[in-house]
Amino acid sequence: MRKVYLDYAATTPVDSRVIKAMKPYFDEKFGNSMSLHSLGIEAKKALENSRKTVAKFIKAKPEEIIFTGSATESINSVLKGVAFANKKRGKHIITSSIEHHAVLETCKWLEKQGFEITYLPVDKDGFINLIQLENSIRKDTILVSIMHANNEIGTIETLKDIGTVCSNHDAYFHTDGVQTFGKIPIDVKKMNIDLLSVSAHKFYGPKGVGATFIRKGVKIEPLLHGGGHEFGLRSSTSNVAGIVGMAKAVELRKKEMTSESKRLRKLRDSLIKGVLKIENSHLNGHPKTRLPNNANFWFNFIEGESLVVELSSHGIYGSTGSACSSDTLEPSHVLLAIGLKHEEAHGSLRLSLGKYTNKADINYVLGVLPNIVKRLRKISPFKGRWK
Ligand SMILES: Cc1ncc(COP(=O)(O)O)c(C=O)c1O
C-alpha cells in the first residue's frame, strides 16, 4: 500500500544529512562543552558554531540564542521568566485565544500566581485585531505573546505590525515561531520581536532540541538553575549532538526554504481545490495567508477521528487538530475560536505537507478521500439530516 505522510506539522523525519552531522557528537566527539580538555573544547566549538548559524538565520546575535529541550520549554521559560523578572513593573500579559497549549496552559498557571491574562479573540480566519491589541495594552502590560502561524489552521499573523504596536507601548513581544521557522523568513529586527521560541523537530532536525531568541536587554529570570550554562539562562549539560543537528537543519532550510515553500504552496493549493470539490466540505484558515504546507478542512456530518483512522487504513497519515491534544475528545479550541460550532469542529482534518510530499501523493489522497467521506456520512448518526 502507498504510504502518504501528511502530518509534517506534528513532526518531521530527521534529514539524513542532519543525522550524519550529529553522529560524531554521540561517540568520538562526546565531550562536555564545559570541560577544559580538548574534547570539551571541541564540543564547545561545535556548540558556539551552531549558535552562530541559528542566530544568523533570524538576524540575531549569537549571544541572543539559548538552546533548550523543546519549544514547550522555551515558551515556559519566556512566559514565566519575563513574568517573574518584571512583576514590579506590572502583572498583565496579553495573548490570543488560538495559541498552542504550551502558551495557554502556562498562562493559566501564571493566573494562579497572580498575573492577569487577556486572551484576544480572532476573526473567522484566525487573525487578531491590531486595534483591539493596542486597546488592550495597559501601563502594567509586560508581555504580549502572539504566535507567528497557527499550528492547526495555518493562518500567518501580521507579525511586523504586532511587533510595532508592542514596541510603541513598551511591552515585550514574544512569538511562538514553531510552525514558521524554516518555512517562511523571520527577521527579529525587522519584525520587532523581543523573544521567539522554536523547535528542531518541525524542520527535519531531531526531537528534544529547541531554541529561544532573547533580545539583549530583555529582563528575564531563568527557569532552570544549576551550572550556569547558556549564559546562566538554562543550566543543564548541553545536548551538543542535538544542537549540532538543529544547526545543520537550519543550514539546509536556509538553502532549500524558498524553493521548497514555493513547491509546497502549489501542492497545497491543488489539494485544497480537490478536497473542496467534495460536497459540504470547508477550508479552515485564510485561503492565502497561510503556511505553505497547511491544509485544514471540516466536513459536515463526520467525526474527524474516524476520518483520520480511515485514512490511516489507506496509508494516509493526517490529523484532526494538533497532535499534542489529539488524545482529548474536546473539540479544538482554535476551531471554536474561529467560530465553528462544536459538531463542526469535530469534523476537522488537518493535512500538512512536507519535503517528501509529491503530486502523486496528492492525487492518491484526492482519489481516496471522497469515498471515505461518502462512506462515513452513510453511517453517521446525523445521516437523517444528510440528503
Ligand atoms: C505552534 C506550536 N507551539 C509549540 C509546540 C511545542 O513544541 P515542542 O514539541 O518542541 O515542545 C508545537 C508542537 O506541536 C507547536 O506546533
Side-chain angles (χ1 to χ4, degrees):
M1 188 175 37
R2 195 184 180 94
K3 299 261 185 264
V4 180
Y5 182 77
L6 290 176
D7 206 10
Y8 286 87
T11 197
T12 60
V14 182
D15 191 299
S16 57
R17 294 165 290 182
V18 169
I19 298 174
K20 195 169 165 218
M22 290 170 69
K23 169 90 177 46
Y25 294 92
F26 286 112
D27 41 31
E28 71 211 73
K29 300 181 181 182
F30 66 92
N32 184 322
S33 63
M34 294 289 241
S35 296
L36 296 179
H37 49 68
S38 59
L39 263 181
I41 292 167
E42 189 175 47
K44 175 88 176 151
K45 221 183 204 170
L47 178 63
E48 295 316 322
N49 282 338
S50 302
R51 201 186 304 283
K52 278 186 202 151
T53 305
V54 175
K56 211 167 163 197
F57 190 54
I58 55 168
K59 310 281 190 305
K61 298 186 189 97
E63 62 274 23
E64 293 175 321
I65 300 298
I66 306 299
F67 289 110
T68 64
S70 66
T72 299
E73 185 195 320
S74 292
I75 290 166
N76 269 264
S77 309
V78 165
L79 299 189
K80 294 173 186 173
V82 167
F84 282 95
N86 295 276
K87 63 176 188 231
K88 280 204 182 113
R89 219 183 90 208
K91 292 181 105 178
H92 180 232
I93 293 170
I94 300 173
T95 189
S96 84
S97 51
I98 60 164
E99 298 295 310
H100 188 270
H101 287 293
V103 170
L104 293 177
E105 291 301 314
T106 307
C107 283
K108 269 196 213 161
W109 183 83
L110 283 168
E111 280 177 315
K112 285 191 209 141
Q113 315 307 313
F115 290 86
E116 197 187 330
I117 318 284
T118 298
Y119 299 89
L120 294 175
V122 292
D123 68 13
K124 65 172 186 26
D125 290 323
F127 293 112
I128 63 151
N129 181 310
L130 279 179
I131 297 170
Q132 201 166 16
L133 167 65
E134 187 146 34
N135 290 341
S136 304
I137 300 181
R138 318 185 308 212
K139 277 222 151 35
D140 62 340
T141 305
I142 47 174
L143 177 68
V144 174
S145 185
I146 305 289
M147 69 200 317
H148 193 182
N150 185 267
N151 47 303
E152 293 186 38
I153 59 173
T155 297
I156 303 169
E157 299 289 340
T158 53
L159 225 59
K160 190 164 180 264
D161 298 336
I162 298 171
T164 306
V165 169
C166 296
S167 84
N168 287 346
H169 291 271
D170 257 353
Y172 291 139
F173 174 40
H174 167 250
T175 189
D176 172 349
V178 169
Q179 293 292 338
T180 48
F181 188 92
K183 293 195 191 81
I184 58 173
I186 298 179
D187 182 323
V188 291
K189 274 202 192 112
K190 279 198 187 138
M191 291 169 154
N192 279 308
I193 298 167
D194 296 307
L195 303 127
L196 167 81
S197 300
V198 301
S199 185
H201 75 96
K202 305 286 186 179
F203 54 94
Y204 311 101
K207 291 175 183 59
V209 193
T212 321
F213 156 73
I214 305 176
R215 183 183 298 291
K216 209 162 173 239
V218 168
K219 268 180 80 182
I220 187 163
E221 281 290 332
L223 197 65
L224 301 185
H225 300 89
H229 307 73
E230 299 294 304
F231 315 109
L233 285 172
R234 203 268 186 180
S235 290
S236 179
T237 301
S238 299
N239 173 7
V240 177
I243 291 166
V244 164
M246 181 184 215
K248 183 68 188 178
V250 167
E251 207 182 290
L252 297 171
R253 290 284 82 204
K254 202 168 177 174
K255 282 195 201 123
E256 297 165 5
M257 181 171 83
T258 311
S259 58
E260 181 61 11
S261 292
K262 196 171 158 199
R263 189 186 75 88
L264 287 179
R265 266 186 209 103
K266 253 191 179 164
L267 285 178
R268 175 203 68 188
D269 288 343
S270 70
L271 174 67
I272 291 176
K273 201 169 154 204
V275 172
L276 291 182
K277 283 188 185 150
I278 300 173
E279 215 179 338
N280 280 295
S281 62
H282 317 264
L283 180 70
N284 293 317
H286 193 273
K288 290 276 166 247
T289 312
R290 67 187 305 131
L291 288 167
N293 69 327
N294 171 291
N296 189 316
F297 309 94
W298 72 271
F299 302 88
N300 296 71
F301 318 118
I302 283 191
E303 289 287 5
E305 285 76 15
S306 3
L307 202 48
V308 168
V309 172
E310 274 289 307
L311 282 170
S312 175
S313 72
H314 287 81
I316 299 166
Y317 307 125
S319 107
T320 47
S322 66
C324 326
S325 58
S326 58
D327 56 348
T328 75
L329 286 175
E330 283 301 298
S332 142
H333 66 287
V334 176
L335 299 179
L336 296 180
I338 61 169
L340 264 62
K341 297 191 191 110
H342 273 236
E343 63 274 22
E344 295 171 344
H346 269 303
S348 73
L349 173 71
R350 179 185 72 183
L351 299 175
S352 47
L353 290 59
K355 68 177 184 178
Y356 301 110
T357 314
N358 58 36
K359 187 78 190 128
D361 293 332
I362 301 299
N363 290 341
Y364 178 61
V365 174
L366 293 177
V368 167
L369 184 63
N371 294 329
I372 294 180
V373 169
K374 210 185 245 173
R375 206 167 49 249
L376 287 176
R377 277 178 177 160
K378 263 195 191 146
I379 56 164
S380 158
F382 303 108
K383 70 178 170 192
R385 283 152 50 185
W386 175 245
K387 295 191 287 291

Coordinates of all heavy atoms in Angstrom, one line a residue, residues 14-15 17-33 39 42-48 50 54 67-68 200 204-210 237-250:
V14 N 13.9 13.1 10.5 CA 15.2 13.8 10.5 C 15.9 13.6 9.2 O 16.0 12.5 8.7 CB 16.1 13.3 11.7 CG1 17.4 14.0 11.8 CG2 15.3 13.4 13.0
D15 N 16.4 14.7 8.6 CA 17.1 14.6 7.3 C 18.4 13.8 7.5 O 19.1 14.0 8.5 CB 17.5 16.1 6.9 CG 18.0 16.2 5.5 OD1 19.0 15.6 5.2 OD2 17.4 16.9 4.7
R17 N 21.2 14.1 6.2 CA 22.4 15.0 6.3 C 22.5 15.5 7.7 O 23.6 15.7 8.2 CB 22.3 16.1 5.3 CG 22.4 15.6 3.9 CD 21.9 16.7 2.9 NE 20.5 17.0 3.0 CZ 19.9 17.9 2.2 NH1 20.5 18.5 1.3 NH2 18.6 18.0 2.3
V18 N 21.4 15.6 8.4 CA 21.4 16.1 9.8 C 21.9 14.9 10.7 O 22.8 15.2 11.6 CB 20.0 16.5 10.3 CG1 19.9 16.7 11.8 CG2 19.5 17.8 9.5
I19 N 21.5 13.7 10.4 CA 21.9 12.6 11.2 C 23.4 12.4 11.1 O 24.2 12.2 12.0 CB 21.2 11.3 10.7 CG1 19.7 11.4 11.0 CG2 21.8 10.0 11.4 CD1 18.8 10.3 10.4
K20 N 23.9 12.6 9.8 CA 25.4 12.5 9.6 C 26.2 13.5 10.3 O 27.2 13.2 10.9 CB 25.6 12.7 8.0 CG 26.9 12.2 7.6 CD 27.0 12.2 6.1 CE 28.5 12.1 5.7 NZ 28.8 12.8 4.5
A21 N 25.6 14.7 10.4 CA 26.3 15.8 11.1 C 26.3 15.6 12.6 O 27.3 15.9 13.3 CB 25.6 17.2 10.8
M22 N 25.3 14.9 13.1 CA 25.1 14.7 14.6 C 26.0 13.5 15.1 O 26.5 13.6 16.2 CB 23.7 14.4 14.9 CG 22.7 15.5 14.8 SD 21.0 14.9 15.0 CE 20.9 14.5 16.7
K23 N 26.1 12.5 14.2 CA 26.7 11.2 14.6 C 28.0 11.4 15.4 O 28.1 10.8 16.5 CB 26.9 10.4 13.3 CG 27.7 9.2 13.4 CD 26.8 8.0 13.8 CE 27.6 6.7 13.8 NZ 28.9 6.7 14.5
P24 N 29.0 12.1 14.9 CA 30.3 12.1 15.7 C 30.2 12.7 17.1 O 31.0 12.3 18.0 CB 31.2 13.1 14.9 CG 30.5 13.3 13.6 CD 29.1 12.9 13.7
Y25 N 29.1 13.4 17.4 CA 29.0 14.0 18.7 C 28.3 13.1 19.7 O 28.2 13.4 20.9 CB 28.2 15.4 18.6 CG 29.0 16.4 17.9 CD1 28.9 16.5 16.5 CD2 30.0 17.1 18.5 CE1 29.7 17.4 15.8 CE2 30.8 18.0 17.8 CZ 30.7 18.1 16.4 OH 31.5 19.0 15.8
F26 N 28.0 11.9 19.2 CA 27.5 10.8 20.1 C 28.6 9.9 20.6 O 28.6 9.4 21.7 CB 26.5 9.9 19.4 CG 25.1 10.6 19.3 CD1 24.6 10.9 18.0 CD2 24.3 10.9 20.4 CE1 23.4 11.5 17.9 CE2 23.1 11.5 20.3 CZ 22.6 11.8 19.0
D27 N 29.7 9.8 19.8 CA 30.7 8.9 20.2 C 32.1 9.6 20.2 O 32.6 10.0 21.2 CB 30.7 7.6 19.4 CG 30.5 7.8 17.9 OD1 30.8 8.8 17.3 OD2 29.9 6.9 17.3
E28 N 32.7 9.7 19.0 CA 34.1 10.2 19.1 C 34.3 11.7 19.7 O 35.3 12.0 20.3 CB 34.8 10.1 17.7 CG 34.3 11.1 16.7 CD 34.3 10.6 15.3 OE1 33.5 9.8 14.9 OE2 35.1 11.2 14.5
K29 N 33.2 12.5 19.5 CA 33.3 13.9 20.0 C 32.3 14.1 21.1 O 31.6 15.1 21.1 CB 33.1 14.9 18.8 CG 34.0 14.8 17.7 CD 33.7 15.8 16.6 CE 34.7 15.7 15.4 NZ 34.4 16.6 14.4
F30 N 32.3 13.2 22.0 CA 31.2 13.2 23.0 C 31.4 14.2 24.2 O 30.6 14.2 25.1 CB 31.0 11.8 23.6 CG 32.2 11.3 24.4 CD1 32.3 11.5 25.8 CD2 33.3 10.8 23.8 CE1 33.4 11.2 26.5 CE2 34.4 10.4 24.5 CZ 34.5 10.6 25.9
G31 N 32.4 15.0 24.2 CA 32.8 15.8 25.3 C 31.7 16.7 25.9 O 30.8 17.1 25.2
N32 N 31.9 17.0 27.2 CA 31.0 18.0 27.8 C 31.5 19.4 27.5 O 32.7 19.7 27.6 CB 31.1 17.8 29.3 CG 30.2 18.7 30.1 OD1 29.9 19.8 29.7 ND2 29.6 18.1 31.2
S33 N 30.7 20.2 26.9 CA 31.1 21.5 26.4 C 31.7 22.5 27.5 O 32.2 23.5 27.2 CB 29.9 22.2 25.7 OG 28.9 22.5 26.6
L39 N 38.6 17.6 24.4 CA 37.3 17.0 24.0 C 36.2 18.0 24.3 O 35.2 18.2 23.5 CB 37.0 15.7 24.7 CG 37.3 14.4 24.0 CD1 36.9 13.2 24.9 CD2 36.6 14.3 22.6
E42 N 36.4 21.0 21.9 CA 35.8 20.6 20.6 C 34.3 20.7 20.6 O 33.6 21.3 19.7 CB 36.2 19.2 20.3 CG 35.9 18.7 19.0 CD 36.5 17.3 18.8 OE1 36.3 16.4 19.7 OE2 37.1 17.0 17.8
A43 N 33.7 20.2 21.8 CA 32.2 20.3 21.9 C 31.8 21.7 22.0 O 30.7 22.1 21.4 CB 31.8 19.5 23.2
K44 N 32.5 22.5 22.8 CA 32.2 24.0 23.0 C 32.2 24.7 21.6 O 31.3 25.5 21.3 CB 33.2 24.6 23.9 CG 33.0 26.1 24.2 CD 32.1 26.3 25.3 CE 31.9 27.8 25.6 NZ 30.7 28.2 26.1
K45 N 33.2 24.4 20.8 CA 33.3 25.0 19.5 C 32.1 24.7 18.6 O 31.5 25.5 18.0 CB 34.6 24.4 18.8 CG 35.4 25.5 18.1 CD 36.5 24.8 17.4 CE 37.7 25.7 17.1 NZ 38.8 25.0 16.7
A46 N 31.7 23.4 18.7 CA 30.5 23.0 17.9 C 29.3 23.7 18.4 O 28.4 24.1 17.6 CB 30.4 21.5 18.0
L47 N 29.2 23.8 19.7 CA 28.0 24.5 20.3 C 28.0 25.9 19.8 O 26.9 26.4 19.4 CB 28.1 24.4 21.8 CG 27.1 25.0 22.7 CD1 25.7 24.4 22.5 CD2 27.5 24.9 24.2
E48 N 29.1 26.6 19.9 CA 29.1 28.0 19.6 C 28.9 28.3 18.0 O 28.3 29.2 17.6 CB 30.4 28.7 20.1 CG 30.5 28.7 21.6 CD 29.1 29.1 22.3 OE1 28.4 30.0 21.8 OE2 28.8 28.5 23.4
S50 N 27.1 26.4 16.2 CA 25.7 26.1 16.0 C 24.9 27.4 16.4 O 23.9 27.7 15.7 CB 25.2 24.9 16.8 OG 25.9 23.8 16.5
V54 N 22.2 29.5 13.9 CA 20.8 29.7 14.3 C 20.5 31.3 14.3 O 19.6 31.8 13.8 CB 20.4 29.0 15.6 CG1 19.0 29.4 16.0 CG2 20.5 27.5 15.5
F67 N 19.8 27.6 23.8 CA 19.3 26.3 23.4 C 18.6 25.7 24.5 O 19.0 25.8 25.7 CB 20.5 25.4 22.9 CG 21.1 25.8 21.6 CD1 22.3 26.4 21.5 CD2 20.3 25.7 20.4 CE1 22.9 26.8 20.3 CE2 20.8 26.1 19.2 CZ 22.1 26.6 19.1
T68 N 17.5 25.0 24.2 CA 16.6 24.4 25.2 C 16.3 22.9 24.8 O 16.8 22.5 23.8 CB 15.3 25.2 25.3 OG1 14.6 25.1 24.1 CG2 15.5 26.6 25.6
A200 N 13.4 22.1 16.8 CA 14.1 21.5 15.7 C 13.3 20.4 15.0 O 13.5 20.2 13.8 CB 15.5 20.9 16.2
Y204 N 12.9 19.1 10.2 CA 13.8 18.0 9.8 C 15.1 17.9 10.7 O 16.1 17.3 10.3 CB 14.2 18.1 8.3 CG 13.0 18.3 7.5 CD1 12.6 19.6 7.0 CD2 12.1 17.2 7.2 CE1 11.5 19.8 6.3 CE2 11.0 17.4 6.4 CZ 10.6 18.7 6.0 OH 9.5 18.9 5.3
G205 N 15.0 18.4 11.9 CA 16.0 18.2 12.9 C 15.5 17.2 13.9 O 14.4 16.7 13.8
P206 N 16.4 17.0 15.0 CA 16.0 16.0 16.0 C 14.9 16.5 17.0 O 14.8 17.7 17.2 CB 17.3 15.7 16.7 CG 18.1 17.0 16.5 CD 17.7 17.6 15.2
K207 N 14.2 15.5 17.6 CA 13.3 15.9 18.7 C 14.1 16.2 19.9 O 15.3 15.8 20.1 CB 12.3 14.7 18.9 CG 11.4 14.6 17.8 CD 10.5 13.4 18.0 CE 9.5 13.1 16.8 NZ 10.2 12.9 15.5
G208 N 13.5 17.0 20.9 CA 14.2 17.2 22.1 C 15.2 18.4 22.0 O 16.1 18.5 22.9
V209 N 15.2 19.2 21.0 CA 16.0 20.4 20.9 C 15.2 21.6 20.5 O 14.5 21.5 19.5 CB 17.1 20.2 19.8 CG1 18.2 21.3 20.0 CG2 17.8 18.8 19.9
G210 N 15.3 22.6 21.3 CA 14.6 23.9 20.9 C 15.6 25.0 21.1 O 16.7 24.8 21.5
T237 N 23.7 20.2 31.2 CA 24.7 19.8 30.3 C 24.2 19.9 28.8 O 23.1 19.4 28.6 CB 25.3 18.4 30.5 OG1 25.8 18.4 31.9 CG2 26.4 18.0 29.6
S238 N 24.9 20.6 28.0 CA 24.3 20.9 26.6 C 24.2 19.6 25.8 O 25.1 18.8 25.8 CB 25.3 21.9 25.9 OG 25.3 23.1 26.7
N239 N 23.1 19.5 25.1 CA 22.9 18.4 24.2 C 23.6 18.8 22.9 O 22.9 19.2 21.9 CB 21.3 18.3 24.0 CG 20.9 17.3 23.0 OD1 21.8 16.6 22.4 ND2 19.6 17.3 22.6
V240 N 24.9 18.6 22.9 CA 25.7 19.1 21.7 C 25.3 18.4 20.4 O 25.1 19.1 19.4 CB 27.2 18.9 22.0 CG1 28.0 19.3 20.8 CG2 27.6 19.7 23.2
A241 N 25.1 17.1 20.5 CA 24.7 16.4 19.2 C 23.4 16.9 18.7 O 23.3 17.2 17.5 CB 24.6 14.9 19.5
G242 N 22.4 17.1 19.6 CA 21.1 17.6 19.1 C 21.2 19.0 18.6 O 20.6 19.4 17.6
I243 N 22.0 19.8 19.3 CA 22.2 21.2 18.9 C 22.9 21.3 17.5 O 22.5 22.1 16.6 CB 22.9 22.0 20.0 CG1 22.0 22.2 21.2 CG2 23.4 23.4 19.5 CD1 22.7 22.6 22.5
V244 N 23.9 20.5 17.3 CA 24.6 20.4 16.0 C 23.6 20.0 14.9 O 23.6 20.6 13.8 CB 25.8 19.4 16.1 CG1 26.3 19.1 14.7 CG2 26.9 20.0 16.9
G245 N 22.7 19.1 15.3 CA 21.7 18.6 14.4 C 20.7 19.8 14.0 O 20.3 20.0 12.9
M246 N 20.3 20.5 15.0 CA 19.4 21.7 14.8 C 20.1 22.7 13.8 O 19.5 23.1 12.9 CB 19.1 22.4 16.1 CG 18.1 23.5 15.9 SD 17.8 24.4 17.4 CE 16.1 24.9 17.3
A247 N 21.4 23.0 14.1 CA 22.1 23.9 13.2 C 22.2 23.4 11.8 O 22.1 24.2 10.9 CB 23.5 24.2 13.8
K248 N 22.5 22.1 11.7 CA 22.6 21.6 10.3 C 21.2 21.7 9.6 O 21.1 22.0 8.4 CB 23.0 20.1 10.4 CG 23.2 19.4 9.0 CD 24.4 20.0 8.3 CE 24.5 19.5 6.9 NZ 25.6 20.1 6.1
A249 N 20.1 21.4 10.3 CA 18.8 21.5 9.8 C 18.5 23.0 9.3 O 17.9 23.2 8.3 CB 17.7 21.1 10.8
V250 N 19.0 23.9 10.1 CA 18.8 25.4 9.8 C 19.6 25.7 8.5 O 19.1 26.3 7.6 CB 19.3 26.3 11.0 CG1 19.5 27.7 10.5 CG2 18.4 26.2 12.1

